[in-house]
């Protein structure tokens, strides 16, 4: 496995991937973690730090944060269960600047009402934050619910995409004021 780090507005990202001739750019991305993220990848002693293979990945992420990219075109390789992979592919179909509920996501993959919690658990296990936009999944009541890297980052990403409008701080000027965050729960 190869890895590198990349500075971003939400902290230093850890990028993990595998070199391959089969992918454009020569790399499949396996993980994108944020600082303090629950379940984040941790470089193993046998992994090799190498920035060069991640140039295309870093470019797309930088374009995203600059407001120039709304969809990632990276080659991804994750090792989830069949159910997790179905949920994660459905995350990729959530349009930039929009949100859906866990129940809506469950319906999109054909999961029953009794499987919403399992869908939430799969969302929380997503190893590719940002790229597979689990931050776009919110509670049915419109409240922000769980995010493995913290609700403050989820809120930042949704504001960045225009899914949450900035508000005014009448005492001090324009800010990105907090929205009621609700329960962090186990969904992410």
């Amino acid at each position: 496995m190869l890895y590198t780090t990349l500075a971003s507005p939400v902290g230093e990202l850890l990028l993990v991937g595998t070199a391959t001739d089969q992918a454009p750019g020569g790399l499949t991305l396996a993980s994108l973690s944020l600082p303090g993220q629950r379940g984040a990848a941790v470089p193993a002693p046998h992994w090799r730090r190498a920035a060069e293979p991640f140039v295309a990945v870093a470019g797309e992420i930088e374009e995203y944060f600059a407001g120039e990219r709304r969809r990632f075109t990276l080659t991804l390789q994750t090792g989830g269960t069949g159910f997790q992979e179905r949920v994660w592919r459905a995350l990729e179909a959530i349009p930039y600047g929009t949100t859906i509920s866990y129940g809506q996501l469950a319906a999109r993959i054909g999961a029953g009402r009794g499987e919403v919690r399992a869908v939430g658990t799969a969302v929380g296990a997503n190893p590719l934050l940002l790229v597979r936009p689990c931050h776009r999944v919110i509670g049915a009541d419109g409240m922000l619910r769980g995010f493995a890297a913290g609700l403050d980052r989820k809120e930042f990403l949704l504001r960045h995409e225009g899914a949450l409008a900035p508000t005014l701080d009448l005492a001090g000027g324009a800010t990105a004021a907090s929205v009621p965050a609700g329960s962090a729960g186990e969904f992410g």
Side-chain angles (χ1 to χ4, degrees), residues 38 81-91 94 100-126 133-134 136-138 145-146 154 186-188:
R38 183 182 62 241
T81 66
F83 182 78
Q84 287 174 322
E85 293 289 342
R86 235 173 67 218
V87 171
W88 297 341
R89 280 190 302 277
L91 291 173
I94 304 169
I100 66 170
S101 71
Y102 291 94
Q104 290 169 317
L105 182 62
R108 283 188 182 187
I109 67 162
R113 291 183 56 84
E115 295 177 286
V116 173
R117 184 165 297 279
V119 167
T121 300
V123 169
N126 173 23
C134 54
R136 296 179 188 157
V137 184
I138 62 173
R145 303 276 184 227
K154 182 172 190 162
E186 65 274 4
F187 304 138

Side-chain angles (χ1 to χ4, degrees), residues 5-6 8 10 13 21 37 44-45 52 61 72-73 107 122 128 130:
T5 56
L6 178 67
S8 85
V10 292
L13 308 178
D21 293 335
Q37 174 184 327
E52 182 62 31
I61 292 168
F72 293 97
T73 62
L128 290 162
L130 296 178

Side-chain angles (χ1 to χ4, degrees), residues 10 30 34 38 50 64 74 101 108 116 118 124 129 135 148 150 160 180 188:
V10 292
L34 283 77
R38 183 182 62 241
Y64 168 82
L74 305 168
S101 71
R108 283 188 182 187
V116 173
L129 294 145
H135 59 277
H160 170 72

